[in-house]
Amino acid sequence: MKNSFGGWLTGTELGRYLLAREQEYFERAVADVFGYHAVQVGLPEMDCLRGNRIPWQCRVAGAGDVDVRCDPAFLPFETRSLDLLVMPHVLDFTTQPHQVLREADRVLMPEGRLILTGFNPLSLWGVRRLIQGRESAPWNGNFFTQLRIKDWLALLDLELEGASFMAYAPPFSRQDWLCRCDFLESVGERWWPLAAGVYGIEAVKRQRGMRLITPNWKQQTKTKGALGVVAGNERQTTQRAPGTRERDGAPSCH
């Protein structure tokens, strides 16, 4: 179990550091998402839906203590049935990343949300991966760039709505060294966000061909002295009573 990514998250000091950062991110990201059905795919060691109030929640993964065991590339949910789908590092640890995103697009309802995280190869975490090799977790993950994920989302009905970064400390294995770099969490997002070890992406399922119709709030102008408003064709004329004449746009009687 320690050789798995979930085991590394809960069984090492660096893993627990990352687990805390991602838990904070997901609690913020899902807090204001509403609907009826929410699903977390992968990583049962982390409760990504803890900050969400959707009543029906389900956790699925290939193994572990979950509600449903399945391959993330083939989700056992009906088309357009989910309001919220979270995928912590699922793309990092799958051999079919394109199929996983296609499934996410399939099961999400129009205006449903997809929230995912992934390792940033353009960081010190990526440098360590190059130096020590890819034999063990988490360094054996795919480490896709955020730009590549955005390009894949653009090919689907998933429209990017937000991006976040986290885990700015160098990937030290010792807790005391990580604590010394704690200040980087507050200044990293401001000064060098692209150097973070992990990124988060929030996307919304858009329905192609759907056009939002908004009401016309143009205020009607009022004419002084008008006796009423004539509806319908603007070129429609009104009849004047015999013996009347117009003065300054208003009828007068003799």
Side-chain angles (χ1 to χ4, degrees):
M1 187 66 178
K2 290 185 177 180
N3 292 328
S4 67
F5 177 50
W8 175 85
L9 270 180
T10 57
T12 66
E13 294 180 343
L14 180 58
R16 288 189 290 269
Y17 156 80
L18 181 61
L19 182 63
R21 297 300 179 276
E22 294 207 33
Q23 187 71 65
E24 293 175 359
Y25 164 72
F26 277 108
E27 289 188 9
R28 294 193 308 269
V30 305
D32 296 328
V33 181
F34 300 96
Y36 297 97
H37 303 98
V39 171
Q40 173 180 333
V41 179
L43 210 59
E45 292 80 4
M46 183 190 307
D47 188 359
C48 301
L49 299 175
R50 187 170 67 185
N52 185 259
R53 290 171 286 180
I54 291 178
W56 189 90
Q57 298 184 357
C58 179
R59 291 164 179 80
V60 304
D65 185 14
V66 292
D67 300 310
V68 178
R69 293 188 180 184
C70 69
D71 187 337
F74 303 96
L75 297 176
F77 302 106
E78 294 183 359
T79 300
R80 298 183 181 182
S81 61
L82 304 181
D83 301 284
L84 173 61
L85 184 64
V86 296
M87 292 183 165
H89 294 278
V90 173
L91 298 182
D92 282 330
F93 297 96
T94 179
T95 59
Q96 303 181 74
H98 301 90
Q99 175 62 24
V100 169
L101 287 180
R102 281 193 291 266
E103 276 293 273
D105 178 55
R106 180 186 67 81
V107 300
L108 279 174
M109 296 183 63
E111 301 305 313
R113 289 178 176 267
L114 169 67
I115 303 176
L116 58 86
T117 54
F119 284 110
N120 179 18
L122 308 178
S123 66
L124 292 177
W125 292 66
V127 173
R128 176 171 174 177
R129 178 172 176 256
L130 292 175
I131 294 175
Q132 86 168 42
R134 309 177 184 181
E135 295 182 359
S136 60
W139 318 110
N140 58 352
N142 294 319
F143 278 57
F144 295 120
T145 64
Q146 187 189 62
L147 181 60
R148 178 176 293 188
I149 303 301
K150 291 180 179 179
D151 289 341
W152 291 345
L153 294 176
L155 298 175
L156 301 170
D157 293 329
L158 299 168
E159 180 180 301
L160 181 70
E161 188 170 78
S164 301
F165 299 91
M166 65 210 82
Y168 291 93
F172 296 132
S173 299
R174 292 177 49 176
Q175 179 64 33
D176 55 345
W177 292 357
L178 291 170
C179 291
R180 292 175 185 176
C181 298
D182 211 30
F183 71 96
L184 294 176
E185 302 300 328
S186 58
V187 300
E189 186 172 357
R190 180 177 180 181
W191 297 109
W192 53 84
L194 296 180
V198 173
Y199 56 79
I201 291 179
E202 301 166 41
V204 178
K205 167 74 173 290
R206 301 300 188 191
Q207 182 64 46
R208 294 179 180 177
M210 179 183 294
R211 184 168 64 91
L212 183 63
I213 301 176
T214 58
N216 184 5
W217 297 110
K218 184 177 180 180
Q219 185 176 4
Q220 294 182 349
T221 58
K222 296 182 179 180
T223 304
K224 292 183 179 181
L227 297 179
V229 178
V230 178
N233 195 327
E234 294 180 354
R235 292 176 296 180
Q236 181 177 352
T237 59
T238 58
Q239 298 291 332
R240 293 196 300 269
T244 63
R245 62 184 179 88
E246 288 185 350
R247 184 179 60 184
D248 299 332
S252 60
C253 298
H254 296 276

